[in-house]
Amino acid sequence: MCFFYKCNLKKLSKDLEDLEAARQRVNHSIEEAKSNGEEIENDVLNWMKEVNQVINKVNMLHNDPNHSKAGCYRWDFPNLIYHRHQLSRRATKISLDVTQKLQSGKFDCRVGYNPRHQEDFVSFSSPSPKDVLLASRRSFLNNILEALKDPSSHIIGVYGLSGVGKTYLLEEVDRFAQQLKLFNLVVLAKTSNIEFILEVIAEGLGLKFDMQSIDARAIRLKKKMKGKENILIILDDICGTLDLQKVGIPFSMTDSHTGNHNKKPTNFKLMMSSKSKENLLKMGAPENFTFRLEPLDDTESIDLFQFMVVDVVRDHRIKSLAPQLALKCAGLPLAITTVARALVNKDINYWENAVRQLEDVGPEEIGASVYIPLELSYNSLECDEARTLLLLIAVLGFQKVEFYLEVIIEMHNMVREVALNIASKDKHVFVKRPFSNDSMRNCTNDSFRNCSQIILNCDITLLPQRLDCPNLELLVLSNSKFLLEIPDNFFEGMVKLKVLHLTKFNLCQLPSSLCCLSDLRSLSLFLCVLENMEGIGALTNLQFLNFFGSSLISLPSQIGELIHLKTLDCNQTGLQEIPPNILSCLTELEELKCRNFIIWESNGTASEMESPDLRQLSNLAELRQLSKLTTLELMVGTDDFPLDLQWMFKKLERFKIHFCYHLMEFYSETLNTLHICCTNAHIEELMKRAEALFLNHSSSMALENVNQLNSDGFPLLEVLRIRFDSSLKRIVDTHLGQIFFPNLEKLEIFGLSMLEEICRGPVAPNSFRKLTTIEVINCFKLKHLLSPSLIKELSQLVKIHVSGCGSLEGIVFLNDNYASVDNEIIEFVSLKTLELDHLHKLDNFCYYNSGSSEITEYQGLEPLSSALFNSSQVAFPNLHSLTLSKLDVENFWDDNQHITMFNLKTLIVRDCENIKYLFLSTMVGSFKNLRQLEIKNCRSMEEIIAKEKANSDVTALEEVLFSELKSVTLTDMKNLKTIWHFQFDKVESLAVKNCESLVVVFPSSTQNRICNLERLKITDCPLVEEIFKLTPSDQRRIEDTTQLKYVFLETLPKLKKIWSMDPNGVLNFHDLEELHIHQCGSLEHVFPLSVVICCSKLNHLCIGDCKEIVAVIENEEFIFITQQFELNALNTLTFKDLPKLKGFYEGKYTLACPSLGVMTVLGCPSLTVFKTQEPLMLLQEPLFVVEEVIPHLERLDIMIKDANLMISQTENIGSLVTNLKHIGLYRSENEEEAFPRELLQSACSLESCSFEKIFLDDRLLNEEIRLKSLKLSHLPKIYEGPHLLLEFIGHLAVEYCPSLTNLIPSCASFNSLISLEITNCNGLISLITSSMGKSLGKLEVMKVKGCNSLEEIITVENNVDVGLLLNLEVLVLDSLPNLNKFSSSKSRIYLPLLVEVEVSECPLLKIFSEGMLSTPNLWDIKRGELYYPLVGSLNNTIGDIFIFEEFCRSEERRLRSDER
């Protein structure tokens, strides 16, 4: 009896675990369906309800008190039998219910369905404070969605009063655009901060920036977006005019001014909101796609207000007041909801007082309708602390508050405006925002005299000598541009100052007046240069000292005098030295943050001085005095930490401690982090509480598994990263049912040469239960990754990445101990990303080893197939992205329809040389959600989709398409002859590169299957002769219409025709917007006549380096009547290096381009660009009439002879070139034309110039012209007289100027220069001298390439220190064979803002500078395609790279010698 009783309960417990796992799996599917906007099927909801009931029954049974009476006791025998019998029967009955629910819970179809929307309009659900049931919002939102669907829309704008609901509306657009699948990707950014917008968009695109300048990030983002299709970017609450190019969006802000709204990228759309309609129009939003969001009407306002206070208005005394209050809010949802929330728990007196308050008038610039309700809400806050915190957040800005409090804060801009107004009025706070320029220039001392707080987040170019603010307690100066110096007496008049925050200031010498701030409690110096900090010891009441991101090489000894200091933050400062006896004096210190490569000094004995490790110990021992320390962030190069500090570790609440110098990585700013190379007793104490653990080069620990480090199973650990270990054989050795890693989310394994498996033995339940990511790289002995027992625990696993594991035979390991019931399939229920790379032994996802050489059926599973994925073994119901690279398998899928990956969206296949085809035609329907397909370097692949042998089933499936496939990319496909299949009918983007066997891109059989194609890019295909092979059809009544917008053709040497025949009557190309053709040496014409006539939307036409082109349009029938071509949308025209081009058309024609804004005609000697004054009989017509095209141009690049011809044709050239912002003038080899000085001197709006083979001097330009950009190329000599035009240049590029020996003449300066690029100037030995470099104080980007004689960038002369380049952010040194150092200066060099360094092909560069160097914000160095993490200083890292590469070169020479 006891046996059956226990067995039944044990079986029930096992069944319950399975049922709970099944419920969790279905629940994941439900959540996934809901996130996709789907409704859940009723049978699924009913099943979930019934399962919950059954589980409750089981729990009740387990908690039944009769269990205590059913034990094997010697007395009370009748009760024993009775209770056991009853409990056993109940267990058996419930077990049957559990089994039934398990069987019925295997839903074959998806758990959700897409609800039908009437005409795809938005349907609103139950009311809520946000999505109110309001007719105006419903219709407005539907109008926006219709505009997004409109193919002619590119930029859409929404404007309206502050608080009218623009943010909520854009959130709804985001939600419904995804729900209706209008776009592949929707990114919403709620800020005007350029850096934050870049981060948000990059995150949406899956792009990581690391540390780069804003300009570099924008360029990378723009390139990334060009590779994506159908993107919607939403920018909310744009203040002022945002330069879209700065955030990587390639929309031209000038399009709206030039009347051209067609010059837009075709692969994505932009939506913006702003208070001002004018702002949106300035940024290119067309009038017809700019919508005003109106306030709510009276009825809607009352309904919303009453909904918010529904419980309160039941009081009849309050009920009559609610409509009055609602109508006082002017129809603004922000005001209505704010007032309602403030009154929800208040009595009648408060309501009556609120009615009286709303009668008042608010500040004119904000408006009473918003100000008074928000002020009422502010006053309703419960305590002064809450009101003070609200004002502080508004005043300081989110980023600073988030940095200090480490929380995410959101605040409506209008709320911040009101808070700032309250602060200014009641608290005497002065605030200037980022869009204010030089806020202090026009401010007198009287402006600040009564201020208690001053916050300037703006461009500051000048500070007053002294600021008299006797009541000032908080001062924030955040300079957004270059580093500024502070006058010595600046702080004398602010003796009550308690908080000082400075960003981007040059503090090489602290102002002496800083000593006056004896009451200062908090000092933050961000992104500053700090050298001589004498005087800081006078700040004796200082409690908070933060140097984050500043250049600080040595900690000043006077800091030891700050005995009240509680927080010292030296993170990311490049700090290298801490003198002795400083830390030990800071006995009140609670937080010490010092994550830097520090050279510890010592006050010990001489013997101690001889040992670097002992020197460190002597200073680390000072931590013994810090008894109040609760937060410690430290990097220590020694593993021998003082043992008597173990007590301190026990008191630490937060820590990030790095016990080795190999790598400086911290996964999260919030996790307790430990990075070790070895272990001892006190480190074990930290290990128990670590939330992120990095083991690096840990072979000295001689570990066989990680659980040897923590007997408790790492219960708190969230991140585990192990790199370069030669002893570990497994991560976990499971035994006795112990739970390991219950909270681990990310597991990274790299370079574990002896690793054989992740887990040995069965995995205890709840181990690895939160794991979301597994990455395993270069573990050469690993044969399998996961066991079935481990997979059962991985219900939250989202990503698997395995690479470079040469012995890996399978991801999942199966053996005879694995029991499968009813052919149960192994499911990865949450897995969304799977990446398998460089796994040459992998032939099946499931690896089976029965202990014998013969592999047959085993434990209910079908025999292993030769395919990588067997649908009868493993399923990935939620897999979105699959990457397969460098695998030796011949087939990826078995012959069954592969329904196990039906949610796959992205498939990338690279370097799989044995694959002959990717899909069978019968499989296409199983990948119905596939959106992106990329195939590269699969040399054996002959076709993408192979036809299966004819049978009835195949016939039935013949017309199945990839219904969601939008993008196909094919690269380096040697044997692929056919790239387009009828299954690609819905594809919108096709990119083909280096397909050696391809002759015709689209055969005639596919001409009615390309109608949805929008983007086409064909490059580097040596045999391609035609793009569109067309055949006429007598039966065709209506021609097909294509959606093709963008065509890019490059390096197609045998291309003879783009269209094999005139497509008129077969296909029309009405939507063509951009055509780029380069290096197509056999092409003679571009367009058939009918295509150009119909191309009303063409806005880009760029043709270059096509030696045989004689005319753009072919005249096949030799029509001699004059053709009129009207390209009304054409904005950019480029003809470059077309030696045979004679005209636009082979015949008489006129060409009208009223929207032309950018024109480049270079290297076309046979083409007459402009019409002459007197009519001449010419075989070819000139391209343009000067008076028709020049007045509209903004950019013009032409040959000098054409410029002179243009000038000669008009009496007043100055009246025609008033809109020109850029002029480029070029001279051919043998040309001796006079320079068109009149053209340059007449262009009064000129901002940039490009000159090639032209003698440059100041006389070329009008003295009033202020050039922002200048490019000089192939100049025979450089004028070295006064260069007045250089004073204002922001961007300078010089290339192929061999006569250039000195970049900056002694009589010139570059005071405004922001970016400098020098290329192939072989006369340069050094770039600049230390004295001349003083004028480069604003330089942010420096790129030097291909200068063969260059030995040094900065040469020191007359012992002048290199106190320059403080604003440098990006440095690129490329192909400089004689460069041996950046600077020979022995002084300290500070580069506080440097975030990006790229050094390539500089074989002699083994040191950056001879002096000490500070680059606190630099994390790595790019060398070719590799990134080297910064170890120690930039000098050390450059030296290490030099030694490593020298070793590689010597090894290569040795190997070549051995071969000989």
Side-chain angles (χ1 to χ4, degrees), residues 225-289:
M225 282 195 283
K226 287 182 179 179
K228 296 286 184 179
E229 295 302 319
N230 203 19
I231 302 172
L232 172 62
I233 295 174
I234 304 175
L235 302 181
D236 182 28
D237 202 17
I238 302 297
C239 300
T241 303
L242 178 67
D243 187 349
L244 298 176
Q245 299 282 345
K246 283 281 188 182
V247 293
I249 299 175
F251 288 155
S252 172
M253 293 173 61
T254 61
D255 293 341
S256 58
H257 306 305
T258 59
N260 172 46
H261 299 293
N262 295 306
K263 184 189 174 185
K264 312 293 181 198
T266 57
N267 61 327
F268 65 92
K269 297 189 179 186
L270 173 66
M271 185 173 180
M272 301 180 291
S273 75
S274 176
K275 288 187 290 187
S276 167
K277 179 181 179 180
E278 287 70 27
N279 284 345
L280 298 174
L281 296 178
K282 286 178 182 178
M283 289 185 286
E287 184 86 33
N288 59 324
F289 286 115

Side-chain angles (χ1 to χ4, degrees), residues 860-1042:
L861 286 175
E862 295 182 3
L864 291 173
S865 69
S866 59
L868 180 62
F869 299 104
N870 189 325
S871 59
S872 65
Q873 295 175 348
V874 63
F876 309 91
N878 293 300
L879 190 66
H880 288 178
S881 176
L882 174 62
T883 300
L884 305 171
S885 176
K886 294 186 179 179
L887 306 180
D888 291 343
V889 296
E890 295 183 0
N891 293 299
F892 292 137
W893 336 104
D894 55 13
D895 293 338
N896 300 324
Q897 294 186 39
H898 225 271
I899 59 173
T900 62
M901 292 187 182
F902 58 85
N903 271 318
L904 191 67
K905 294 178 172 61
T906 300
L907 175 59
I908 299 173
V909 180
R910 298 179 183 142
D911 303 304
C912 296
E913 297 191 354
N914 295 330
I915 295 290
K916 293 185 178 180
Y917 63 87
L918 191 54
F919 305 104
L920 288 174
S921 57
T922 53
M923 295 179 184
V924 171
S926 302
F927 294 90
K928 59 183 179 181
N929 289 305
L930 190 65
R931 296 181 183 178
Q932 179 182 349
L933 175 63
E934 179 183 327
I935 311 174
K936 181 178 181 181
N937 196 30
C938 296
R939 294 183 171 270
S940 299
M941 189 176 290
E942 299 173 356
E943 49 189 346
I944 300 170
I945 302 174
K947 291 183 179 179
E948 209 161 13
K949 294 180 180 179
N951 56 57
S952 58
D953 293 334
V954 175
T955 303
L957 293 169
E958 200 167 60
E959 288 297 317
V960 175
L961 307 176
F962 286 109
S963 56
E964 297 292 329
L965 187 61
K966 302 299 182 185
S967 172
V968 176
T969 302
L970 306 171
T971 307
D972 299 331
M973 304 295 287
K974 182 178 182 180
N975 290 308
L976 194 65
K977 297 179 180 179
T978 301
I979 63 170
W980 196 260
H981 300 266
F982 75 84
Q983 290 92 340
F984 291 170
D985 187 83
K986 301 295 183 180
V987 171
E988 297 176 357
S989 173
L990 173 66
V992 181
K993 182 178 181 180
N994 194 26
C995 291
E996 299 177 14
S997 301
L998 187 65
V999 177
V1000 176
V1001 179
F1002 299 107
S1004 58
S1005 60
T1006 65
Q1007 66 187 32
N1008 63 340
R1009 293 287 192 175
I1010 60 174
C1011 296
N1012 290 302
L1013 191 66
E1014 296 183 5
R1015 295 175 64 83
L1016 175 64
K1017 185 174 182 179
I1018 313 293
T1019 60
D1020 300 296
C1021 295
L1023 299 183
V1024 166
E1025 297 179 1
E1026 294 174 326
I1027 306 299
F1028 301 100
K1029 184 79 171 179
L1030 305 175
T1031 57
S1033 174
D1034 296 335
Q1035 299 176 353
R1036 187 181 301 276
R1037 296 181 181 179
I1038 301 175
E1039 66 179 2
D1040 289 315
T1041 299
T1042 72

Side-chain angles (χ1 to χ4, degrees), residues 475 477 486 491 500-505 507 524-526 528:
L475 176 61
L477 301 179
I486 297 179
F491 297 108
L500 176 60
H501 181 112
L502 303 175
T503 300
K504 283 193 177 181
F505 282 88
L507 300 174
S524 298
L525 305 176
F526 285 6
C528 296

Side-chain angles (χ1 to χ4, degrees), residues 1397 1399 1420-1423 1426-1428 1430 1434 1437-1438 1441:
V1397 172
V1399 180
D1420 53 34
I1421 300 174
K1422 185 180 181 185
R1423 190 86 161 179
L1426 300 176
Y1427 286 88
Y1428 291 86
L1430 202 69
L1434 180 57
T1437 307
I1438 292 275
I1441 294 173

